[in-house]
Amino acid sequence: MIRATRIAAAAAIVSGLALGAQAVDAQQAFDRSKAPALGPAPALVLPAVKTARLGSGAAVKVVEQRELPLVHITLQLAGGGRLDNDHPGLASFTALMIREGAGTRDANALQSEIAFLGATLSSNASWDNTSITLRVSKRNLEPALDLMADVVLRPSFKSADVERQRDLRLAGLLQAKDQPGAIANRAFETALFPKGHPYHNSLSGDSTSTAALDSASVRSFHTGAYRASRATFTVVGDISETEARTLLDRRFGSNAWRAMGAERTPAPVMATPVRNTERRVILVDKPAAAQSVVIIGTPGIERTTPDYAAIMVMNTILGGSFSSRLNSNLRETKGYTYGAGSGFQFRPLPGAWQASSQVRTNVTDSSLVEFFKEMNTLRDTPVGEDELARAKAYLALGVPGDFESTAQIAGELTSLAAFNLPLSYLAEYVAAVEKVTAADVQRVAQRLIPASNATIVVVGDLSQIRAGIEALNLGPITVIPVAELMK
């Protein structure tokens, strides 16, 4: 018996050695100098979306995902910061305040109950929407929905809570005056979007508008903007359309959600984004800054443009991925920065296109040279087939991964809804990406990437960087004090 065991053990050792030798041979045969070939793109399988409408008029979209006992609900209210009108920051502040006490609960009691249920409940306002999001296990869905209904329909807006959050926001605005990134963004936004344009003011407002916030102004915004006629519920998870509609109707139906006061409407658009006739340079001094913040940009384009797929491929190549030209050049080759990129702000009203980075102070001028070199190369020279194929694969192969969780599915649905696009649009988008040619990339680059009329913002230590920037002769230079931007 002992002899048989020893023989078996010896055979196993010999077999293991043989397998190990085979593994070594396989490793030696593997050519690591070449990237493995990409396989075919996985089939895009989109979830079924069922729609309904509550008695109050609010729309409901439901996607069943039974893999996990979770439910993700996003309530999207059309409007957002564009409803601020003459009170910048009011929409974002109201979205914050609805979680500071609701129904019979103060802020502490509300947060305690949310935590006890193992739920997350968040709210925020973008320029065009206010979103309230609930994520909870299926077994705690009903009590969590009760909390969500109180937050949306019956927020307290107590004066003491408003004053506390108002003071915190004022402190945050004061701190922002010392943050180069925030300063650069404000300088860029005010340069592109003049007074009278919805995106001219900061979404968070300024110190004057914030100081004027009180319980009455927040309550007035809530009754005018948080209305069923503006509401869409997106429900994803372990729930059917019938169950979701029943549970929501019980809490957000016609009897519970009554409109009070006049409906708030966005102010008319009185100005268009500024397109320069020549390059314009804006400098903001930040003495002793170790880095400079650089933003180069121009007004963007509508999300519904037929060139959307070509634009996405073009931007992926320029600055929309880690292996993009800007990041590869400024980070990997030159070592000027930890990262550089570019992107479009797609909104119902077109936002901006911008390329940006935070670079070492002593290479600020050199970084600007590299930015424009990459932008001009993309405009002047067709991209190679390998680079084009990588960018298209990056975009097309990434779409199925956007549907791996309930939050991702809800995010895709709400994002498309902002542009009145159905979920089926994504299959058309993938097909369009696969058809983009090198000529398409160059055409949209020449159309949208500014060569001679960009707005250039640099925030940094001007005593060290100004002479170098002036020597580049990029265009007229304006120096703007921080106090003029960050009010």
Side-chain angles (χ1 to χ4, degrees), residues 99-102 105-113 156 158 161 164:
R99 291 183 281 114
E100 291 296 311
R105 307 168 187 84
D106 62 17
N108 288 332
L110 182 61
Q111 295 305 319
S112 294
E113 288 197 36
S156 302
K158 291 181 179 177
D161 295 329
R164 174 170 48 82

Side-chain angles (χ1 to χ4, degrees), residues 17-224:
L17 291 172
L19 290 172
Q22 289 174 4
V24 171
D25 289 343
Q27 284 185 342
Q28 290 175 342
F30 188 78
D31 185 357
R32 295 183 181 278
S33 65
K34 298 178 181 176
L38 289 174
L44 178 60
V45 180
L46 297 172
V49 182
K50 295 182 178 179
T51 60
R53 197 166 286 278
L54 305 182
S56 59
V60 180
K61 299 178 181 178
V62 181
V63 174
E64 288 189 37
Q65 288 283 304
R66 300 290 188 176
E67 286 83 358
L68 294 172
L70 296 171
V71 179
H72 184 109
I73 300 176
T74 297
L75 166 59
Q76 196 168 46
L77 296 153
R82 289 192 59 191
L83 300 177
D84 282 347
N85 299 336
D86 58 351
H87 200 145
L90 187 50
S92 63
F93 190 76
T94 305
L96 169 68
M97 285 307 306
I98 62 172
R99 291 183 281 114
E100 291 296 311
T104 58
R105 307 168 187 84
D106 62 17
N108 288 332
L110 182 61
Q111 295 305 319
S112 294
E113 288 197 36
I114 292 171
F116 179 76
L117 295 173
T120 58
L121 182 63
S122 59
S123 59
N124 66 81
S126 66
W127 278 114
D128 299 289
N129 291 287
T130 295
S131 297
I132 299 95
T133 300
L134 171 68
R135 187 171 185 270
V136 65
S137 64
K138 177 65 178 294
R139 67 177 180 177
N140 289 334
L141 176 58
E142 290 224 42
L145 267 178
D146 290 338
L147 294 177
M148 184 180 187
D150 277 345
V151 164
V152 175
L153 303 177
R154 294 173 286 276
S156 302
F157 298 139
K158 291 181 179 177
S159 294
D161 295 329
V162 172
E163 290 169 6
R164 174 170 48 82
Q165 288 297 339
R166 183 187 64 198
D167 291 345
L168 287 173
R169 176 167 285 202
L170 285 169
L173 291 170
L174 191 62
Q175 291 174 340
K177 295 180 179 180
D178 198 38
Q179 297 170 354
I183 297 169
N185 283 324
R186 190 87 279 270
F188 182 71
E189 290 163 356
T190 42
L192 253 65
F193 303 113
K195 191 172 183 179
H197 191 281
Y199 304 150
H200 175 74
N201 295 310
S202 168
L203 190 58
S204 299
D206 55 33
S207 57
T208 302
S209 64
T210 299
L213 289 168
D214 58 17
S215 181
S217 61
V218 176
R219 193 177 300 281
S220 173
F221 185 90
H222 177 263
T223 57

Side-chain angles (χ1 to χ4, degrees), residues 291-311:
Q291 290 185 314
S292 300
V293 179
V294 174
I295 299 178
I296 302 170
T298 188
I301 192 170
E302 297 84 2
R303 169 65 174 81
T304 52
T305 172
D307 277 331
Y308 180 72
I311 290 169

Side-chain angles (χ1 to χ4, degrees), residues 311-327:
I311 290 169
M312 293 303 291
V313 174
M314 179 273 292
N315 188 68
T316 298
I317 293 170
L318 179 61
S321 65
F322 188 82
S323 59
S324 68
R325 294 183 180 186
L326 287 174
N327 199 55

Side-chain angles (χ1 to χ4, degrees), residues 263-384:
E263 184 169 2
R264 199 172 181 93
T265 56
V269 180
M270 303 297 289
T272 58
V274 175
R275 290 192 181 278
N276 303 332
T277 56
E278 60 180 348
R279 282 192 293 239
R280 177 188 179 194
V281 182
I282 298 171
L283 303 181
V284 183
D285 193 18
K286 195 71 182 69
Q291 290 185 314
S292 300
V293 179
V294 174
I295 299 178
I296 302 170
T298 188
I301 192 170
E302 297 84 2
R303 169 65 174 81
T304 52
T305 172
D307 277 331
Y308 180 72
I311 290 169
M312 293 303 291
V313 174
M314 179 273 292
N315 188 68
T316 298
I317 293 170
L318 179 61
S321 65
F322 188 82
S323 59
S324 68
R325 294 183 180 186
L326 287 174
N327 199 55
S328 296
N329 183 341
L330 277 82
R331 174 192 159 101
E332 303 297 321
T333 303
K334 297 293 192 302
Y336 291 166
T337 176
Y338 288 115
S342 65
F344 287 85
Q345 298 166 344
F346 288 112
R347 302 168 180 163
L349 284 179
W353 172 83
Q354 68 178 57
S356 62
S357 184
Q358 296 191 32
V359 302
R360 297 199 322 263
T361 294
N362 64 338
V363 294
T364 301
D365 51 354
S366 302
S367 299
L368 288 168
V369 171
E370 298 303 321
F371 266 107
F372 279 100
K373 185 184 86 174
E374 297 297 349
M375 291 161 56
N376 289 332
T377 300
L378 193 61
R379 289 171 51 91
D380 299 338
T381 309
V383 298

